[in-house]
Amino acid sequence: MTMTKEQQNEIWYEERKSVKRRILDYVIITIAAFLYSVAVSFFLDPNSLAPGGVTGIAIILNRLTGLATGTWLLIINIPILAIGTWKFGLRFIMSTMYCTAMTSLFVNLLAPIGAVTADPFLAALVGGSLMAVGLGLVFKAGATTGGTDIIVKLLRLKFPHLKTGSLFLITDAIIVTMSAFVFKDIDVALYAGVVVVINSVLLDVVLYGRDGAKLMFIISDKYDAITKRLLEDLDIGATHISGSGAYSGKSKNVIMCVIKKQLSPKAEEIVREEDPASFLIVTSATEIFGEGYKSIFSERL
């Protein structure tokens, strides 16, 4: 079937918009990687603050081996990214690869400048804040920083009953505790714990204000493709609600899903990629009870 001139122009316009959007995403990721690297190189690393995640492991290994922290970031992430590509596909992992490479490069380039402050509390406060801003921009661009993000996702595939938040908390706690033994200073570990808390709280504010989660309603003729990617790429549940257009009377399936705040940008990207003409409603959900969220029984105790 031959396409009309108007259809060809529409396809060309959509492809051009998609390319521009991806370029903008990578510009944002570059800026975010730089801010994250400033936090590590100017505040955290010089003050021996290992704030959990792969960054914390890299800082600890830097002290044990002398190899640059940025280099350790890359070395640790290479096998993690390889496994992530195998499990989740290259499309899902490409922007994360770029973010990891840029972060490693910037950390090594900025490291010779040294500490901006020698006060561990100020380093924890400013470093944790900059990390949160950097991570927030990365998530908004539909990427991750790799490392424990991918590890937790892999663990969830094998142990789906484990909660994502609990896995992050456990891994961060282990790394912060390790730093106390490596640096032989409990105060340093406690300040690293402060970084973890500041980063966690401020990241929520940067991304979504103080809302608890996001409730999405997606109206699209391509609901099967969107639902499949939400289930496989993000490991979240979804419900189909039967409806019909008030004017057209045409039957429609509405996708309803409640999603963790940090996954919302990726979910929106999936909807845009699968059906740019879809109708998407995103609203705040401050109280979520059920599997993967809060227990209605424990909250009332």
Side-chain angles (χ1 to χ4, degrees):
M1 181 178 177
T2 305
M3 288 188 295
T4 64
K5 183 75 171 177
E6 289 77 10
Q7 289 174 323
Q8 291 176 343
N9 288 338
E10 184 178 349
I11 292 173
W12 175 83
Y13 178 70
E14 289 299 330
E15 289 177 347
R16 187 179 177 184
K17 277 205 313 183
S18 178
V19 170
K20 284 184 176 180
R21 185 166 59 243
R22 295 308 296 169
I23 291 173
L24 178 60
D25 284 344
Y26 276 90
V27 170
I28 292 172
I29 291 170
T30 304
I31 295 170
F34 181 78
L35 290 175
Y36 190 94
S37 302
V38 167
V40 174
S41 297
F42 289 175
F43 297 97
L44 305 181
D45 196 4
N47 289 283
S48 299
L49 301 180
V54 167
T55 300
I57 296 173
I59 291 172
I60 291 172
L61 290 174
N62 165 256
R63 297 305 191 276
L64 293 175
T65 66
L67 191 63
T69 300
T71 304
W72 273 119
L73 279 172
L74 188 61
I75 291 172
I76 298 168
N77 269 298
I78 286 174
I80 297 173
L81 290 170
I83 296 171
T85 302
W86 172 50
K87 284 290 187 181
F88 308 120
L90 186 61
R91 180 182 181 182
F92 173 78
I93 221 79
M94 274 295 293
S95 56
T96 296
M97 288 179 175
Y98 177 78
C99 182
T100 299
M102 294 306 297
T103 302
S104 301
L105 175 64
F106 286 142
V107 167
N108 279 351
L109 290 176
L110 296 174
I113 298 174
V116 170
T117 177
D119 185 319
F121 180 73
L122 288 177
L125 181 64
V126 179
S129 299
L130 284 172
M131 282 183 71
V133 173
L135 285 171
L137 290 173
V138 168
F139 289 143
K140 281 180 177 291
T144 74
T145 55
T148 49
D149 293 349
I150 297 174
I151 292 172
V152 167
K153 189 172 176 63
L154 289 168
L155 287 172
R156 285 272 297 150
L157 288 178
K158 190 168 181 62
F159 307 105
H161 60 283
L162 296 178
K163 294 182 179 179
T164 299
S166 299
L167 290 171
F168 274 116
L169 181 62
I170 291 169
T171 55
D172 286 344
I174 291 171
I175 294 165
V176 168
T177 303
M178 284 172 54
S179 72
F181 291 99
V182 173
F183 302 131
K184 297 180 174 59
D185 189 340
I186 188 65
D187 289 343
V188 166
L190 291 174
Y191 281 122
V194 171
V195 176
V196 172
V197 172
I198 291 173
N199 181 46
S200 176
V201 173
L202 190 57
L203 177 59
D204 283 350
V205 175
V206 170
L207 279 174
Y208 308 105
R210 299 185 180 277
D211 302 325
K214 293 295 176 180
L215 174 62
M216 288 188 173
F217 292 96
I218 306 162
I219 303 172
S220 169
D221 291 332
K222 300 179 179 178
Y223 61 88
D224 279 334
I226 294 174
T227 302
K228 184 174 184 293
R229 288 196 60 194
L230 289 175
L231 295 175
E232 293 181 356
D233 291 8
L234 302 185
D235 191 28
I236 63 172
T239 301
H240 285 174
I241 302 173
S242 298
S244 61
Y247 177 76
S248 65
K250 182 180 177 182
S251 297
K252 290 183 177 292
N253 273 334
V254 180
I255 306 169
M256 183 189 76
C257 61
V258 176
I259 189 167
K260 300 285 188 182
K261 292 177 292 184
Q262 61 267 32
L263 294 178
S264 181
K266 184 62 181 176
E268 293 173 16
E269 182 186 4
I270 287 172
V271 174
R272 284 198 307 267
E273 289 176 352
E274 295 297 335
D275 184 9
S278 63
F279 193 75
L280 173 64
I281 303 171
V282 183
T283 186
S284 302
T286 56
E287 289 284 319
I288 311 296
F289 297 96
E291 184 178 355
Y293 294 89
K294 294 184 291 187
S295 165
I296 192 169
F297 302 107
S298 62
E299 288 296 314
R300 294 295 181 264
L301 292 177

